[in-house]
Amino acid sequence: MARVLLQQMVEAIPESNLPPTWRDLDLARFSEAKTLWGYQQEALRNAVRALWKYYEDFRDYRPEENDGEANRYRKARLWDWYQAYGLREDFSVDPDRLDRRLSGLLTDRYETRYRAGHRVVPYESFLNRMGFWMATGSGKTLVIVKLVEILWRLIRRGEIPPHPILVLTHRDDLLEQLRRHVEEFNRGGGEPWILLRDLREYPQVLRESPTLFREREALVYVYRSDNLSDIQKERIVDFANYENDGRWYILLDEAHKGDKEESKRQHIYAMLSRNGFLFNFSATFTDSLDIVTTVYNFNLERFITSGYGKHILILQQETRPFREREDYASEEKQRVVLKALMLTACLQRVYEELRQICPDLYHRPLLLVLVNSVHAEDSDLLLFFRALERIARGEVDARVLEKAREELLAEFRQPPRLLFEAIPAPVPLDVLETLSLSDLLQSVFHASGGGELEVLVRPSNRQELAFKVKTADRPFALIKIGDISGWLKTKLAGYEVNERFQDEGFFLRLNKDDSDITILMGSRTFYEGWDSNRPNVIIYINIGVKEEARKFILQSIGRGVRIEPLPGWRQRLDFLISARPAEKARADPIRKRAAPLETLYVFGTSRPVLQQVVEGLQQERERAATCQLPLLEINPEAKERLLLVPVYRESDRPLAEIRQVAKLEIDPEELRWLRDFVAETDDRVLLALHRDASPARIRLLREALARPEDFFLGNGRRTGNLRFLLQRVLDYLGVRAAQVERLRELEEDDIQHFRHIAVTLEAIETAGVDRQLREAVQKVRAYRPREQIERDREHLKEQFRDQRISPDQFMARLEDLIRQETRGVREERVTYRGQAVRVRHIARHYYLPVLLSESERMDFLQHVIATPSEVAFVNALEEYLERPDHRFRELDWWLFSKLDETLDRVYIPYYDPGSNRLAHFKPDFIFWLQRGEDYFVVFVDPKGTEHRDADRKLEGYRLVFEEAPGRPRVFPFGALRCRVFCFFWTRDTARIPATVDRRYWVDRVERILENVLIPPA
């Protein structure tokens, strides 16, 4: 089974490997009002790493190069790189198995080889691509637009070839969505101005003269992906007419593979970009080549487990009546509808309670009804509507209502488990148990009692019908289908129809806070390209089990998981509290109550349909290549201790004004150009050239250029662009310092990597590594250190001496302690393909047990201690603790923890000249120590032979935590005097260059304590 490889490969590239022109790209800003989320920035960061590897590390791009020969060489190097990471599959294309025309197109454009007597186009020919596997609702279009900007900047800097950019997507409404996002980006006022042109205009654009503003424009061609072919018609275009010898950057959005014609188009996209690069975006990758070349995986599972989407609960109840086409008035059909309505009503009640606490919390819950048939005589939509109508009239037998309630309660009381998450589903049982028919009518139908329905239509809109109970003053339901004419003539004959002339339709207003619609009914025509936080309940009516239905189910569920607890914040409340600790007191009272609104409840009408949903989502999980194992637990002692971490805020002054900052690398000749240009240019012109500049920044620029030795290093790469150079220097001078705002108690999400221990599926399937790890963890978890048992024995003797326990109790507990000495082991070992991991009990660690790699490379296990220098430090620490005179005995208590750079939230801010902004230094370990009223937070970062970025990180530490070199600031916390230290640990400090400040380097654990425990002057 194919697994995600490219992401693993690029994330192993240290950020410091990339030169400044690749690192100082702004990955966050989208517009004046919008900043990309962290996961969107990470996707772009991985893309930049992959492009750097391809266009610089494999073979540095040069404008004069023969791109055909150069790219063949790059693809061969890329193929070797994939194989080094374990790629064994061969997905080469056999042209003789394709139709003659497509075979000829491929063999004309690619070199072929003979393998086992067959002519093939080798797999490596198609590797110049990267995939973005991003869940529906995760903002792929924003990433696409931002990627256009990145390509434009890298082209301007001469880092990648100046190929044209083409964005392809498969529907007109998605092209319109792209245009809206581009307009928003352009309104931000930055560079570039993205200009969209139809692909068919490509020959005309080549003939046009450059405009005055061409230097600031990013010209992007757009077209429908399904209109590319090898023939020419009115809207169907022959790709050969636009081929440009395969020199395109193609950004392909959701081009689903399926029929024979679609398979041919996949080859067309590859041929158009064979001497360029293909960027593939989708929420549902199924093709092996796409999965292997995925550069960032943020599929539905990761979207939800990272807090960006609602929990998902797929209900397992058998609800077959709609599938069996029974009489629409049947009791069974009514129970199906009642369950969905009752759950919606419960959620509406929860929403109303929360809105009393805070008026801007969450969304008004919505029931989404998706049907297979709309216009047939007994269509699914009509059968559901008739059952809904009877309930609206109040024609519900009390016995039927109670049976529906009990069937729901029977499942919810178990309680059921959420998809992807090993936690119980949140359900408002207290509301469901007491919900009456009157409550349901009020919450869902806006009616005080039952009544007939009337139809509301807008003459200008022939796609939607709204419904209102006549005794109510507001509509409650909306049908959105392709054409309502047939329904008005046949299905709704005899109903009272009222025409309304509002400016906006009901569907367009659906996301607004004052929308009254609580039920949305429709088919597959509107689910994609629709953004809403509101769906909390989805019910599928006869959605089949074919391949196209699986995709529809996956994507419609994706449309239902969006969430926005507070305006502009699109993560679940627990995650928001971690990011905004100041909101904790306000949010704590509502966290538990709000959980049902953070959940999507999914009903199916038959077990096969439900099974299809589960299998489809499970297959998506399996293609992610790893499986997370909840193995480790927080050390009980850690829960009893005060563990503090720093909280930062941005200074109101630029770093360059406060103290000397790390110098900016710049080409010496270009520095002279810049000095001459600034000296001869009026301040007003400089302000106009740089949108973020201020008069104070311009003054600082002139001061810096007057003292270049204090600000610049003459070893940078040439940019060839004075405007870019000016912007880079002004950005450098505008970086603001960080300050410690306070210390706060550690929260569980601050250190969370141990909850994300992941094992490759290959290791699970071939060797049962998951089972081996679980067994090893259980054995080690049962282990109790001898010193702890001795303490327990002394405590037991003391209880007996004081006659607090009887002789029998004393003997029973003593026997238990003796058994504990023989129960469990301190360490177990698990091996897989020559790589070994130790599962070890380390008494003072934040979580237990600790997983330590014995191999320099750990391919089958993620988020464990695997770097050799980190493992060596832990070993040195344990060896030191074996000494009877170790200085940890001088402390009242102490604990330490591994920190994971990718998942944990504890860091030290520092200026990184490569990226030209404040970055987060995440040391590998954090220690907490207390002696009397002195409290110490100690960061330790083991280093191998790499020291080049240590000075910059130490500069960041000293700026925020020291009042003078070697003198940490004191931060009060209650009665405690808190100090923060930072050390680099290495095997031999004698090998540290003489230019490095050695006060912060140690090669023995005792040196850390000697520096920390020195009495303050």
Side-chain angles (χ1 to χ4, degrees), residues 623-641:
R623 288 196 298 271
T626 61
C627 178
Q628 290 188 6
L629 299 180
L631 293 170
L632 314 180
E633 297 177 353
I634 295 176
N635 188 337
E637 184 178 354
K639 296 180 179 180
E640 299 173 3
R641 300 300 185 185

Side-chain angles (χ1 to χ4, degrees), residues 592-628:
K592 190 171 181 181
R593 194 57 170 165
L597 287 181
E598 296 186 334
T599 305
L600 178 67
Y601 303 87
V602 181
F603 288 85
T605 53
S606 70
R607 281 200 180 278
V609 173
L610 282 172
Q611 193 62 35
Q612 184 66 41
V613 176
V614 176
E615 287 176 1
L617 292 170
Q618 188 62 33
Q619 287 172 10
E620 177 166 313
R621 163 182 269 187
E622 290 170 356
R623 288 196 298 271
T626 61
C627 178
Q628 290 188 6

Side-chain angles (χ1 to χ4, degrees), residues 355-380:
R355 280 296 176 110
Q356 294 298 315
I357 300 171
C358 178
D360 58 354
L361 275 171
Y362 289 101
H363 53 271
R364 191 183 300 274
L366 179 75
L367 166 60
L368 182 58
V369 183
L370 296 171
V371 302
N372 190 47
S373 59
V374 172
H375 296 294
E377 182 178 350
D378 287 327
S379 69
D380 304 322

